[in-house]
Amino acid sequence: MEQKLRTIHQQILEAKNKGQKLLAILLDPDKIVLEKLDGLLDKINQSPATHIFVGGSIVENNILEDLIGQLKQKTSLPVVIFPGDPSQISPQADAILFLSLLSGRNPDYLIEYQVQAAPILKKTDLEVISTGYILIESGNETAVARVSKTKPLNRENVDLVLATAQAGEMLGNKLMYLEAGSGAKNAVPLKMIQLIAQNIEIPIIVGGGIVDLHGIQNAYNAGADLVVIGTAFENDSHFFES
Ligand code: 1GP
């Protein structure tokens, strides 16, 4: 019962305060075969994951509702929507990262999609977690940059990344997501994570291009509170067993 009363945001804050690190497995509905979901869920349930994120830059198939319904039935992990646009809202999930792409200057991803999503979200019980989303240059063009038509921030320009994260915190974001992009060649630099973690109070999510357990631990050591793993688990569901 107590579990139900604490929001996912509160749980993330508590984990941060206790120094407990969190791990999300990202499932992109376009890459999931529902018939094979049971096997995948066994792997997820045996993994150290604390959250399941669901979403993608573009979701073209229409299995989102089915996928989230099955996730809710077959795991006890919180299911959090990580949307590419307002079409990716399902009332069956527990929460949604209400993202604003702070690194870009495309008004659609700064406020237009949020305006479109607000009335839809009001009709659901989803926990809405405002999240600053910062795309960092990672060596190859990523789907986020392509779809949002924005440029990532230069990975050498840590001052600009820090100012962006601080502005996002001042605007009231509850989480800050440092994103290298799915399948990124280079993950977010550890020094950058460290600098941001030392200079903002809100929990930090780090994802994109993390391909081994070492990479996860390094991100935690640098100050990430929650790490997101997508591609590496998609390619190898035994990823966490090594
Ligand atoms: C992408 O941060 C996530 O939005 C995860 O990236 O697929 O590279 O793990 P990967």
Side-chain angles (χ1 to χ4, degrees), residues 118-173:
I120 304 171
L121 292 171
K122 274 286 177 191
K123 294 192 189 114
T124 72
D125 290 327
L126 285 170
E127 179 188 340
V128 177
I129 310 175
S130 64
T131 302
Y133 191 52
I134 302 181
L135 184 61
I136 312 291
E137 189 268 312
S138 62
N140 48 345
E141 196 198 25
T142 57
V144 188
R146 196 170 57 249
V147 173
S148 69
K149 300 189 181 69
T150 65
K151 280 197 198 138
L153 297 185
N154 185 327
R155 57 193 290 117
E156 305 298 327
N157 196 345
V158 286
D159 290 344
L160 180 60
V161 177
L162 176 59
T164 305
Q166 287 176 326
E169 181 174 53
M170 289 175 192
L171 279 167
N173 284 291

Side-chain angles (χ1 to χ4, degrees), residues 6 41 44 93 108 132 142 161 165 181 195 211 213 228-229 238 240:
R6 283 153 66 243
L41 277 168
I44 293 175
D108 284 349
T142 57
V161 177
L195 182 77
V211 292
L213 301 181
V228 184
I229 295 294
H238 299 275
F240 294 106

Side-chain angles (χ1 to χ4, degrees), residues 12-232:
I12 294 173
L13 280 180
E14 280 175 26
K16 179 181 172 68
N17 290 339
K18 290 184 197 153
Q20 289 168 353
K21 300 297 184 177
L22 303 171
L23 179 74
I25 290 179
L26 172 63
L27 301 180
D28 180 340
D30 274 354
K31 294 180 185 155
I32 298 286
V33 179
L34 279 180
E35 291 68 34
K36 293 187 182 162
L37 188 61
D38 281 354
L40 196 64
L41 277 168
D42 285 344
K43 295 287 172 210
I44 293 175
N45 285 329
Q46 289 157 21
S47 80
T50 56
H51 294 76
I52 299 175
F53 284 4
V54 179
S57 295
I58 305 181
V59 171
E60 286 173 332
N61 66 17
N62 51 7
I63 65 160
L64 187 77
E65 286 298 340
D66 263 6
L67 172 62
I68 294 183
Q70 292 204 34
L71 293 176
K72 286 306 298 169
Q73 273 174 27
K74 296 172 183 169
T75 101
S76 56
L77 294 176
V79 176
V80 179
I81 301 170
F82 172 49
D85 62 57
S87 70
Q88 297 173 36
I89 296 175
S90 162
Q92 298 184 85
D94 297 297
I96 183 166
L97 298 184
F98 200 56
L99 301 168
S100 183
L101 182 58
L102 302 176
S103 50
R105 295 297 178 266
N106 180 345
D108 284 349
Y109 288 84
L110 281 165
I111 186 62
E112 171 61 24
Y113 282 150
Q114 294 80 349
V115 171
Q116 289 178 20
I120 304 171
L121 292 171
K122 274 286 177 191
K123 294 192 189 114
T124 72
D125 290 327
L126 285 170
E127 179 188 340
V128 177
I129 310 175
S130 64
T131 302
Y133 191 52
I134 302 181
L135 184 61
I136 312 291
E137 189 268 312
S138 62
N140 48 345
E141 196 198 25
T142 57
V144 188
R146 196 170 57 249
V147 173
S148 69
K149 300 189 181 69
T150 65
K151 280 197 198 138
L153 297 185
N154 185 327
R155 57 193 290 117
E156 305 298 327
N157 196 345
V158 286
D159 290 344
L160 180 60
V161 177
L162 176 59
T164 305
Q166 287 176 326
E169 181 174 53
M170 289 175 192
L171 279 167
N173 284 291
K174 292 180 178 161
L175 304 174
M176 194 56 57
Y177 196 137
L178 303 178
E179 170 73 280
S182 191
K185 196 163 143 196
N186 302 303
V188 176
L190 298 175
K191 284 218 158 79
M192 186 180 283
I193 301 173
Q194 212 168 24
L195 182 77
I196 308 291
Q198 284 164 357
N199 289 285
I200 66 173
E201 303 292 321
I202 56 177
I204 297 176
I205 302 176
V206 174
I210 297 179
V211 292
D212 54 27
L213 301 181
H214 213 66
I216 298 176
Q217 194 54 51
N218 286 342
Y220 287 152
N221 293 346
D225 299 293
L226 187 154
V227 167
V228 184
I229 295 294
T231 309

